[in-house]
Amino acid sequence: MCVFCKIINNELNSYTLFEDKIIKVFMDINPSSNGHILIVPKKHYENINDIELETMNHINVIIKKMYKILNNKLNFDGITLVQNNGLGQDIKHYHIHIIPKYHNNELKDVKEIFDILKSE
């Protein structure tokens, strides 16, 4: 079973920001920047060729939701969306990286950023 499937099944801990019946959103444990998150479908799809269009559309809705949360809480200067397939895809489970960009990218602890994002 892949590491993302283990996270989805709560066999491995994660800093989960959001989940519904289709996807799970959690913090990247090796972030490129503060607020680097992953959107992962709960059903295992290896890559873009496998994933159903309905699931991709749902992921796009969640991207917009996460964009607003990240911007409101972390006030980023830009954002990058990444989806790798084949070479460069470290975990063979379809997922999207949302990577906030900052003029000053002083990395903080993942737990500290998670607490900021989960605060009311």
Side-chain angles (χ1 to χ4, degrees):
M1 183 180 295
C2 85
V3 67
F4 287 166
C5 288
K6 289 179 181 180
I7 290 171
I8 288 162
N9 292 326
N10 297 312
E11 295 170 27
L12 292 175
N13 291 332
S14 68
Y15 291 109
T16 299
L17 294 168
F18 175 83
E19 94 179 274
D20 61 21
K21 65 183 184 335
I22 299 171
I23 58 93
K24 189 167 191 161
V25 179
F26 51 91
M27 307 292 298
D28 191 305
I29 59 167
N30 295 304
S32 299
S33 69
N34 294 321
H36 181 167
I37 62 174
L38 304 171
I39 300 177
V40 182
K42 289 185 172 180
K43 181 176 177 184
H44 185 94
Y45 303 100
E46 183 172 327
N47 58 43
I48 199 165
N49 289 319
D50 299 337
I51 192 167
E52 298 164 349
L53 186 56
E54 296 79 19
T55 302
M56 289 180 75
N57 289 337
H58 182 70
I59 288 170
N60 283 332
V61 169
I62 301 304
I63 288 171
K64 289 185 70 133
K65 179 178 181 164
M66 293 296 109
Y67 179 99
K68 290 177 187 174
I69 292 169
L70 289 168
N71 197 26
N72 288 340
K73 299 286 186 166
L74 302 176
N75 195 31
F76 56 73
D77 297 307
I79 200 156
T80 298
L81 303 176
V82 177
Q83 197 283 308
N84 297 307
N85 290 266
L87 186 63
Q89 184 183 9
D90 294 334
I91 298 173
K92 305 297 188 215
H93 184 129
Y94 181 95
H95 60 286
I96 301 276
H97 294 259
I98 301 180
I99 308 169
K101 301 293 185 177
Y102 306 90
H103 291 295
N104 176 5
N105 190 30
E106 185 178 321
L107 278 177
K108 297 180 181 175
D109 182 71
V110 172
K111 171 81 166 81
E112 181 181 347
I113 298 300
F114 175 75
D115 290 342
I116 291 168
L117 292 172
K118 290 297 280 186
S119 68
E120 291 301 321

